[in-house]
Amino acid sequence: MAVLYKSDPVRGAIWAERFAQRAPDMAFRMWPDIGDPAAIRYLVAWQPDDLAVTLPNLEVVFSIGAGVDQLDLTRIPAHLPVVRMIEPGIVDGMVEYVTEAVLAIHRDLFDYALQQQARVWKPMPLRPAVSRRVGVLGLGLLGTAVLQRLRLFGFTCAGWSRSRRDIEGVECFAGDTALDAFLARTDVLVCLLPLTDATRGLLARHVFAGLPKGASIVHVGRGQQLAASDLLDAMDAGHIHSAVIDVTDPEPLPFDHRLWIQPRVRITPHIASATCAVTAADAVLENLRRHRAGKPMIGEIDRARGY
Ligand code: NDP
Ligand code: OXD
C-alpha cells in the first residue's frame, strides 16, 4: 500500500522521512516516480491533474493546502473523499500575519511610512485598541484562531460566517442578510473566506461602500475574491484608507498592475501562511489511521458547499 506525494520535492523529502519513521509499512512515493499505480491508495497534492481518475485503487485525495479551490473537483471521482490540510503550522503562520497587519494598520504605520519618505516628524493621536473594530469574514479554523489572538490586544472583534457561530468575546454575524450590519461596524476588514461560487468577487464596490469611511482591508483569502479596481477606486475616493494584500488574481501580480504603486497598499506574494512539512505529514498520517479504522477524517470537505 502506498501514498503518492505530488508537490514541492524539498518539502517532500521531509514528508518521506516522517513517513519512514512513523509509518514504515506505508510506501511513500514522490511524483513522478509513482511505481506500481495499483498500489497507490492515497494521493497528497496541490493539483492532482488527472491522477485521481487514472490511479485505479485510489481511496482518498488530500489537498496539501488549507484551501481546495485549486482542485478541479469535477476531475476527482465522486466516491473519493477530498480532505483539506488542517495542521497547526498553517494556523500559527496566519495568526502571525494577520496580527501584524492589523497592528500595522492600528498603529498608523502606513501613514508613518509616507511621513518617513517625506522626512516628516509628526506624531498622530494614539487610539486605544478597544476603539478599533476588527471584523473577520470567515469563522473557520483560521478566522477563529485570528480573532482569538486579536481579542488579546483589546480590539473590538466581530466575525461573519455562513452558519451561526459562537466565539467568546466576538460578535458573530451569520448569512448574507447580516453582511451589511457586520460591515457597518468594521474598521479593519480581514478576509479569510474560502473561494467558492458564493465568495468569488465578494470584496467589491458594495462591500467597500458598506464599511465606515477610513476603513482598511487585510486580504488573505483568495485573489479571485477581490475586485482590485473597485478597491483602488474606493482608495482613490478616500473611502478606504489602506490595504494589506497577500493574494491576487492573477498570481504573480502583473508588473504593471496599479496595486503595486498605490502607496497605502502593501503586497506580499501569497506567503501569509504555509503548511509546515513535519506537522502536515503528521496530520495526514493521523487521517490515514482514521481512514483505515473507519473513522471520519479531519478536514474532509463538503463538495456541494465547495469548502
Ligand atoms: P474553513 O473552511 O475552516 O472556514 C471557512 C469559513 O468561511 C467558515 O466559517 C464558513 O462558514 C465561512 N464561509 C464560507 N462560505 C461563506 C459564505 N458564502 N458566506 C459566509 N461565510 C462563508 O477555512 P479556513 O479557515 O481553514 O481557511 C479559510 C481560507 O483561507 C482558505 O480556504 C484559503 O482560501 C485561505 N488561506 C490562505 C492562505 C494564505 O497564505 N494566504 C493560507 C491558508 C488558507 P461556516 O462556518 O458557516 O461554514
Ligand atoms: C493554502 C494556501 O490554502 O497556502 O494552504 O493558501
Side-chain angles (χ1 to χ4, degrees):
M1 196 180 300
V3 172
L4 175 62
Y5 170 99
K6 179 177 181 284
S7 191
D8 173 51
V10 177
R11 288 152 155 271
I14 301 171
W15 280 68
E17 204 180 308
R18 202 72 181 160
F19 267 71
Q21 283 165 358
R22 304 200 52 195
D25 299 339
M26 179 74 70
F28 186 86
R29 310 252 170 82
M30 194 123 54
W31 189 86
D33 297 325
I34 72 170
D36 174 12
I40 295 168
R41 300 295 167 85
Y42 302 101
L43 174 64
V44 181
W46 178 254
Q47 274 172 338
D49 301 325
D50 60 355
L51 283 167
V53 181
T54 55
L55 293 171
N57 296 317
L58 196 62
E59 294 182 25
V60 182
V61 175
F62 291 99
S63 165
I64 198 113
V68 291
D69 53 284
Q70 80 285 0
L71 303 176
D72 180 353
L73 293 177
T74 63
R75 290 169 78 193
I76 300 181
H79 69 279
L80 291 180
V82 176
V83 181
R84 70 197 192 92
M85 182 57 70
I86 294 192
E87 60 89 22
I90 288 193
V91 180
D92 291 348
M94 189 57 80
V95 168
E96 283 176 12
Y97 185 96
V98 175
T99 302
E100 189 278 342
V102 171
L103 286 172
I105 290 164
H106 172 59
R107 295 306 306 265
D108 303 310
L109 295 189
F110 282 91
D111 294 306
Y112 284 121
L114 291 173
Q115 286 193 187
Q116 181 175 347
Q117 276 172 23
R119 303 183 192 201
V120 171
W121 181 281
K122 187 168 159 247
M124 286 172 247
L126 195 57
R127 266 177 74 165
V130 70
S131 74
R132 192 79 69 176
R133 298 164 298 173
V134 180
V136 176
L137 294 164
L139 294 178
L141 179 73
L142 301 177
T144 301
V146 158
L147 280 162
Q148 282 166 342
R149 181 64 57 86
L150 290 174
R151 270 187 61 211
L152 301 180
F153 290 93
F155 294 114
T156 299
C157 291
W160 181 72
S161 55
R162 220 167 53 105
S163 54
R164 181 149 295 286
R165 300 274 152 178
D166 187 11
I167 305 170
E168 198 188 338
V170 175
E171 189 182 1
C172 292
F173 295 76
D176 293 343
T177 52
L179 182 60
D180 287 348
F182 165 78
L183 295 172
R185 55 71 59 210
T186 294
D187 300 315
V188 181
L189 180 71
V190 178
C191 179
L192 265 168
L193 289 166
L195 179 65
T196 65
D197 289 345
T199 67
R200 189 172 283 104
L202 182 81
L203 298 182
R205 192 171 303 276
H206 64 285
V207 162
F208 303 133
L211 293 166
K213 185 172 164 53
S216 296
I217 313 288
V218 178
H219 184 33
V220 277
R222 286 291 186 258
Q224 286 181 41
Q225 290 160 342
L226 174 67
S229 57
D230 288 1
L231 173 64
L232 288 162
D233 289 348
M235 294 185 79
D236 289 347
H239 188 70
I240 297 296
H241 177 267
S242 49
V244 175
I245 296 178
D246 181 58
V247 286
T248 63
D249 179 32
E251 291 180 5
L253 186 66
F255 185 80
D256 58 355
H257 201 287
R258 273 206 298 149
L259 276 177
W260 285 118
I261 52 169
Q262 166 38 271
R264 285 199 185 81
V265 170
R266 194 176 81 188
I267 306 277
T268 49
H270 198 143
I271 50 73
S273 192
T275 52
C276 161
V278 172
T279 43
D282 286 353
V284 168
L285 282 163
E286 170 60 18
N287 268 335
L288 297 191
R289 265 188 290 277
R290 285 171 165 262
H291 186 248
R292 303 246 55 92
K295 291 186 182 161
M297 289 175 287
I298 298 166
E300 187 171 337
I301 66 148
D302 175 339
R303 285 181 181 233
R305 274 187 340 191
Y307 69 97

